[in-house]
Amino acid sequence: QVQLAESGGGLVQSGGSLRLACATSGDVDVVNSMGWYRQVPGKDRELVANMEKSGSTKYADSAKGRFSISMDNTKRTVSLQMNSLRPEDTADYYCTANVYTRRLGSVQYWGQGTQVSVSS
């Protein structure tokens, strides 16, 4: 079993910064990718940023230039530095990891989510 533990959410004023962190634990052989999604009530969960083990990244257009994802594959952690936050960034943020184990193959796991609130 693989678990993801997120931290770093909270309340911040518009223009402020937050750093989210996520750590994997459990039966992990290889981390293929890690990333962050977000969701607001009534809307679908959307990609914020993702990083492959190769180092390639993908960002939502809304995140480009403001957010930065980093991954430590040795420690199996991922962080999301969020700068110049806007009220529309308010959401529950979810860490996700695509993990390979010999027992199950490649499986996508999700964290419980951490709330980010940006006041105007």
Side-chain angles (χ1 to χ4, degrees), residues 40-75:
V40 297
K43 292 191 176 182
D44 291 337
R45 192 172 294 186
E46 63 177 12
L47 172 72
V48 178
N50 194 69
M51 178 175 273
E52 302 289 330
K53 63 182 178 182
S54 64
S56 66
T57 58
K58 183 176 182 179
Y59 290 92
D61 287 343
S62 60
K64 290 177 182 176
R66 300 188 300 129
F67 295 0
S68 178
I69 189 170
S70 59
M71 184 170 72
D72 186 328
N73 213 337
T74 301
K75 296 180 180 178

Side-chain angles (χ1 to χ4, degrees), residues 43-117:
K43 292 191 176 182
D44 291 337
R45 192 172 294 186
E46 63 177 12
L47 172 72
V48 178
N50 194 69
M51 178 175 273
E52 302 289 330
K53 63 182 178 182
S54 64
S56 66
T57 58
K58 183 176 182 179
Y59 290 92
D61 287 343
S62 60
K64 290 177 182 176
R66 300 188 300 129
F67 295 0
S68 178
I69 189 170
S70 59
M71 184 170 72
D72 186 328
N73 213 337
T74 301
K75 296 180 180 178
R76 296 166 178 171
T77 61
V78 65
S79 297
L80 184 69
Q81 178 66 42
M82 303 187 293
N83 300 325
S84 302
L85 282 162
R86 306 164 180 165
E88 53 263 39
D89 294 317
T90 296
D92 291 322
Y93 284 69
Y94 295 89
C95 174
T96 185
N98 187 281
V99 170
Y100 174 83
T101 64
R102 280 164 284 188
R103 187 169 66 91
L104 297 176
S106 292
V107 178
Q108 197 79 24
Y109 291 93
W110 294 86
Q112 298 284 340
T114 185
Q115 190 171 50
V116 171
S117 296

Side-chain angles (χ1 to χ4, degrees), residues 17-60:
S17 298
L18 281 174
R19 186 176 182 86
L20 305 182
C22 175
T24 61
S25 62
D27 183 19
V28 176
D29 291 318
V30 178
V31 174
N32 294 315
S33 66
M34 296 188 76
W36 294 91
Y37 281 67
R38 68 187 183 187
Q39 188 171 26
V40 297
K43 292 191 176 182
D44 291 337
R45 192 172 294 186
E46 63 177 12
L47 172 72
V48 178
N50 194 69
M51 178 175 273
E52 302 289 330
K53 63 182 178 182
S54 64
S56 66
T57 58
K58 183 176 182 179
Y59 290 92

